[in-house]
Amino acid sequence: MSKKEKHIKTNCIRIVESSGIEYETVEYDVSEGFVSGVDAAQKTGIDEKLMYKTLVTEGNSRENYVFVIPVGDELDLRKAAKTVGEKKIEMIHMKDITKVTGYIKGGCSPVGMKKQFKTVIDCSALELERIYVSAGKPGFSMYVGVKELAELIGALFAELTV
């Protein structure tokens, strides 16, 4: 971790550090607005298959669920609903992201939300030792062990993409 990175302490990073999990961070420019995960991978030179996005949904039961999938993929809502035992789920409205998670668009991490929601990571991550996920702020990602991340947030693994 560089000296500059040590100064960035998001809630997510504090939780990861306090758990003793090793991680690395990467920053990229978001001064011109929202940057998609695919664009973030291109800006940083990171293989898109290593970068995962965090999606927040709501089921018919009104419960929220978190899904972590590769940035270039699309969440299959039917598979996701079945995985969490819902008949149907849908993405939450962007206007509700901060209220539900405590994070803002582009900075939603599976670690450190206001409440620990049931979380599922796409099974493709099991083929990798480490992945990049948001570190809790737009333009800031962390590279963390897949198994360590799953254990920290109590995540399950399932096939989630189209």
Side-chain angles (χ1 to χ4, degrees):
M1 201 167 34
S2 74
K3 288 181 182 179
K4 183 177 181 185
E5 290 171 317
K6 287 184 181 179
H7 293 105
I8 298 175
K9 292 287 185 177
T10 62
N11 191 41
C12 168
I13 294 297
R14 285 184 194 93
I15 292 167
V16 169
E17 284 183 350
S18 69
S19 71
I21 294 173
E22 289 186 30
Y23 70 96
E24 295 172 30
T25 59
V26 64
E27 291 183 73
Y28 50 92
D29 183 23
V30 292
S31 62
E32 294 184 22
F34 176 74
V35 175
S36 75
V38 171
D39 290 338
Q42 291 171 349
K43 281 182 173 228
T44 57
I46 294 168
D47 184 340
E48 181 176 310
K49 292 176 182 153
L50 296 176
M51 197 166 266
Y52 281 61
K53 58 187 172 185
T54 304
L55 304 174
V56 184
T57 63
E58 183 177 81
N60 280 354
S61 66
R62 292 288 189 228
E63 289 291 318
N64 292 105
Y65 303 97
V66 176
F67 297 96
V68 181
I69 67 170
V71 296
D73 290 352
E74 185 179 330
L75 181 65
D76 184 318
L77 294 172
R78 287 185 192 158
K79 287 179 186 174
K82 185 176 182 180
T83 299
V84 295
E86 290 275 0
K87 288 188 182 210
K88 183 179 177 185
I89 61 168
E90 58 185 42
M91 298 297 297
I92 65 169
H93 295 285
M94 269 302 120
K95 66 178 177 59
D96 296 330
I97 194 84
T98 302
K99 179 177 75 175
V100 172
T101 68
Y103 288 119
I104 62 171
K105 180 180 178 180
C108 191
S109 176
V111 178
M113 291 188 188
K114 284 183 175 181
K115 177 182 173 191
Q116 185 59 59
F117 300 110
K118 185 170 192 175
T119 303
V120 185
I121 301 171
D122 188 71
C123 60
S124 62
L126 290 170
E127 299 169 15
L128 305 167
E129 192 173 318
R130 301 172 88 195
I131 59 173
Y132 286 90
V133 294
S134 174
K137 154 184 158 177
F140 190 46
S141 294
M142 65 178 176
Y143 191 48
V144 64
V146 172
K147 291 177 183 165
E148 291 86 351
L149 174 65
E151 186 176 319
L152 177 65
I153 60 177
L156 308 171
F157 291 92
E159 188 177 326
L160 298 171
T161 59
V162 175

